[in-house]
Amino acid sequence: MTVKELAERLSLKILTAPDDAREVCGCYAGDLLSWVMGRAQSDDAWITIMTNVNIVAVAMLADVSCVIVAENAEIENDVVEKAAEKGINLYTSDKTIYQLCAEISKVI
């Protein structure tokens, strides 16, 4: 499934989508950035409530397909701009992390 298809299925709000044709092969949920760096797999959709600019760096290091910020956590413009600059697909949702994981598990 592509990032674009996942975003449509989950009704995600697009913040940046420079590579929405990228495949999503799994899912990782976590907020401790060092933990995510060591455990998220390449091509995972990463779900978090973290919104600082460090999520962009972690997304790049972990090589995730996209970052989904849950629960409508507020994301500053500088984070969105950095994600676009670095080619990171960034989305937001009003759903909880649990709800997003449950929905993803049905389609991947």
Side-chain angles (χ1 to χ4, degrees), residues 12-86:
L12 303 176
K13 179 182 173 189
I14 301 168
L15 299 177
T16 67
D19 188 14
D20 66 356
R22 184 166 175 182
E23 289 294 315
V24 179
C25 298
C27 176
Y28 191 84
D31 298 320
L32 184 59
L33 300 181
S34 61
W35 200 264
V36 174
M37 284 188 295
R39 288 172 173 75
Q41 301 295 307
S42 180
D43 298 323
D44 277 352
W46 172 27
I47 305 169
T48 184
I49 58 167
M50 296 297 296
T51 61
N52 66 49
V53 74
N54 293 332
I55 64 172
V56 175
V58 171
M60 291 173 56
L61 288 169
D63 193 34
V64 295
S65 296
C66 62
V67 179
I68 304 168
V69 176
E71 300 186 32
N72 279 332
E74 186 176 334
I75 303 168
E76 299 292 330
N77 286 338
D78 64 324
V79 176
V80 176
E81 290 169 5
K82 184 60 81 173
E85 175 188 320
K86 297 296 184 180

